[in-house]
Amino acid sequence: MGERKGTNKYYPPDFDPAKHGSLNGYHKTHALRERARKLSQGILIIRFEMPYNIWCDGCKNHIGMGVRYNAEKKKVGNYYTTPIYRFRMKCHLCINYIEMQTDPATCDYLIVCGANRKEERWDMADNEQILTTERAEKEKLETDAMFKLDHSGKDKEKLKKALPSLSEIQDQQSCKKDDFLLNSSLRRRFRTEKKVLADQEDKDNAVRMRTNLSIPLLPEKEEDKKLAALLSYQAPDSYEDRKHIKRKQISSRSWFSSSSSSSSSSSSSSATPGGASGSLLLKLSLQGKEAAVAKALASSPSPLVCRRPGGPAVRTQPRGEDHSSAAASSAAASSAAASSAAASSAAASSAAASSTICVKPTEGANEGLAKDCGTERGEGLAALSSLVADYSDSDSDP
């Protein structure tokens, strides 16, 4: 109980006021306890309050005005007879130390190191505020009568310049001096603006629901209305026009694919595959070959094709013809059939499956077949252009 601060009224029996002075002297402790541990170095730990907003150099964080720290206070000099004190404290957010000291000349605090001041000061003259009279000017006004007279004349000129604005401010303040009228006008204006804002919000919600939007809408402008009136969102062509254009494209493009045009004859190989010129040359060449074959077959004296009942179609040869003419006619028929197969592969395959042409150069075979083919001569000549030559099952000697 007696070893703590000397704030109690207990005095030990060996206490001597002349020797100890106080209970703290008796217990050999300082009244500030731990705050006076560096008192031998001239340092006293005090509770320091930040005088303005600063930025810490260590952690770059903002430290607001009024934040308190345990700072080490020591005397570093004098301004005339006023002592200058320096304060050293540690930032509560990092390990950086901040040092500040008093400035009696400007009645302010200066940052020595560890931080930067957040500039919030302004010049009273630039801000059109009333400047405080300097101390030297006050002494001169009190001692020099001529300076006082000159200073009062300048003050009167300033008053004449500022009188109109001051009177206007006073009139405005007098008009709005009644708090009830001022509050009533403010609430009336607020109600009017609230209705306008509510109506605009309803219109915007209707537009957003109609257009399925979820974004805030800006107020309308005359330029936006004019621009929207000039825009047109209709298709450039109608349905009938698009159908006509599509049919025209289908009728004007090539009949054959790129694969068929690449496998065509050497006469159309110089044209572009799949192009308009290549397809036209291929069509003309096929038509010329078919016309030549039809003319050669029509000029023959006897029918060339006959069909057995229940059997495949067989091509015959007259008695008077030799083997060379039969071979020539068969070669012409094969070339015609090849050109017809290149033009339409589907029709050729079906024709080949239904009927087959076989060349029999012997006379006995021709005589036997001529009897069975009497009634089908016209049908064989009419279907000659659709038949395909097939020499795969021709097993007779050449």
Side-chain angles (χ1 to χ4, degrees):
M1 188 69 178
E3 294 181 358
R4 298 196 61 187
K5 292 183 180 181
T7 57
N8 51 35
K9 296 180 180 180
Y10 175 75
Y11 291 89
D14 56 346
F15 174 75
D16 186 4
K19 180 181 178 181
H20 301 103
S22 64
L23 289 175
N24 290 326
Y26 174 79
H27 294 294
K28 296 180 181 181
T29 59
H30 195 272
L32 299 177
R33 305 285 290 178
E34 290 297 327
R35 293 187 178 186
R37 64 180 181 271
K38 296 183 179 180
L39 195 60
S40 60
Q41 305 174 15
I43 297 174
L44 179 65
I45 297 175
I46 65 167
R47 195 69 175 164
F48 181 78
E49 185 175 334
M50 194 63 63
Y52 42 73
N53 297 320
I54 64 171
W55 300 94
C56 179
D57 288 343
C59 57
K60 306 300 180 183
N61 287 318
H62 174 263
I63 300 175
M65 180 177 60
V67 179
R68 295 182 178 183
Y69 293 95
N70 291 333
E72 298 178 357
K73 174 187 174 182
K74 66 180 178 179
K75 184 180 177 180
V76 294
N78 289 317
Y79 177 74
Y80 297 104
T81 58
T82 305
I84 299 175
Y85 295 101
R86 182 172 293 179
F87 307 93
R88 186 173 186 266
M89 66 209 81
K90 180 180 174 296
C91 177
H92 66 287
L93 299 173
C94 62
I95 60 174
N96 182 48
Y97 279 88
I98 303 170
E99 292 188 9
M100 303 179 70
Q101 71 180 23
T102 59
D103 186 13
T106 59
C107 299
D108 200 357
Y109 287 86
L110 297 177
I111 298 176
V112 179
C113 63
N116 290 319
R117 181 171 182 173
K118 183 179 180 182
E119 283 297 335
E120 297 176 339
R121 293 172 289 185
W122 66 89
D123 190 2
M124 298 180 70
D126 295 340
N127 202 24
E128 298 182 358
Q129 292 181 345
I130 299 175
L131 301 176
T132 57
T133 307
E134 298 291 338
R135 181 177 180 181
E137 190 175 356
K138 285 182 180 180
E139 292 178 356
K140 199 170 183 180
L141 285 171
E142 294 174 357
T143 58
D144 193 349
M146 295 300 295
F147 181 77
K148 184 178 180 180
L149 181 62
D150 188 17
H151 194 275
S152 62
K154 292 181 180 178
D155 290 341
K156 289 179 181 179
E157 291 179 0
K158 290 181 181 179
L159 179 60
K160 288 180 181 179
K161 292 181 180 179
L163 190 59
S165 59
L166 291 175
S167 60
E168 184 179 355
I169 292 172
Q170 289 176 358
D171 294 340
Q172 291 181 357
Q173 288 180 351
S174 63
C175 293
K176 297 182 180 179
K177 190 175 181 180
D178 191 355
D179 296 337
F180 177 76
L181 295 177
L182 185 63
N183 191 16
S184 299
S185 61
L186 183 62
R187 291 174 65 85
R188 192 181 304 110
R189 181 180 176 184
F190 176 72
R191 283 195 296 269
T192 306
E193 293 180 355
K194 187 177 180 181
K195 290 181 180 179
V196 174
L197 292 175
D199 295 340
Q200 186 65 32
E201 185 67 22
D202 293 339
K203 292 180 181 179
D204 293 346
N205 291 334
V207 173
R208 282 195 288 264
M209 289 293 293
R210 186 171 66 252
T211 57
N212 196 14
L213 294 176
S214 60
I215 57 177
L217 302 180
L218 297 176
E220 294 182 355
K221 296 182 180 179
E222 293 296 331
E223 293 80 2
D224 298 339
K225 292 181 180 180
K226 293 179 181 179
L227 182 61
L230 295 175
L231 296 177
S232 177
Y233 297 100
Q234 296 180 355
D237 298 328
S238 62
Y239 174 75
E240 297 294 334
D241 295 339
R242 292 198 302 271
K243 186 169 66 174
H244 179 70
I245 292 172
K246 189 172 183 180
R247 289 181 177 179
K248 188 175 180 180
Q249 290 176 355
I250 294 173
S251 62
S252 62
R253 69 187 181 187
S254 175
W255 291 4
F256 305 99
S257 62
S258 58
S259 60
S260 62
S261 62
S262 62
S263 62
S264 60
S265 61
S266 61
S267 62
S268 63
S269 62
S270 61
T272 304
S277 59
S279 61
L280 181 61
L281 293 176
L282 180 62
K283 193 184 301 182
L284 293 176
S285 63
L286 293 177
Q287 289 179 358
K289 288 180 180 180
E290 289 178 357
V293 171
K295 184 177 180 182
L297 292 176
S299 61
S300 61
S302 61
L304 298 177
V305 178
C306 63
R307 184 184 299 273
R308 290 182 182 180
V314 180
R315 183 181 177 216
T316 60
Q317 181 181 358
R319 292 178 180 270
E321 289 184 17
D322 56 355
H323 298 285
S324 62
S325 61
S329 62
S330 64
S334 64
S335 63
S339 63
S340 176
S344 177
S345 60
S349 60
S350 61
S354 61
S355 59
T356 307
I357 299 176
C358 300
V359 178
K360 300 294 183 180
T362 57
E363 267 187 12
N366 292 337
E367 291 177 359
L369 292 174
K371 296 178 182 180
D372 298 331
C373 297
T375 59
E376 295 182 2
R377 291 177 180 178
E379 294 178 3
L381 289 175
L384 183 60
S385 61
S386 63
L387 297 179
V388 180
D390 188 4
Y391 298 95
S392 60
D393 54 350
S394 172
D395 54 352
S396 61
D397 294 334

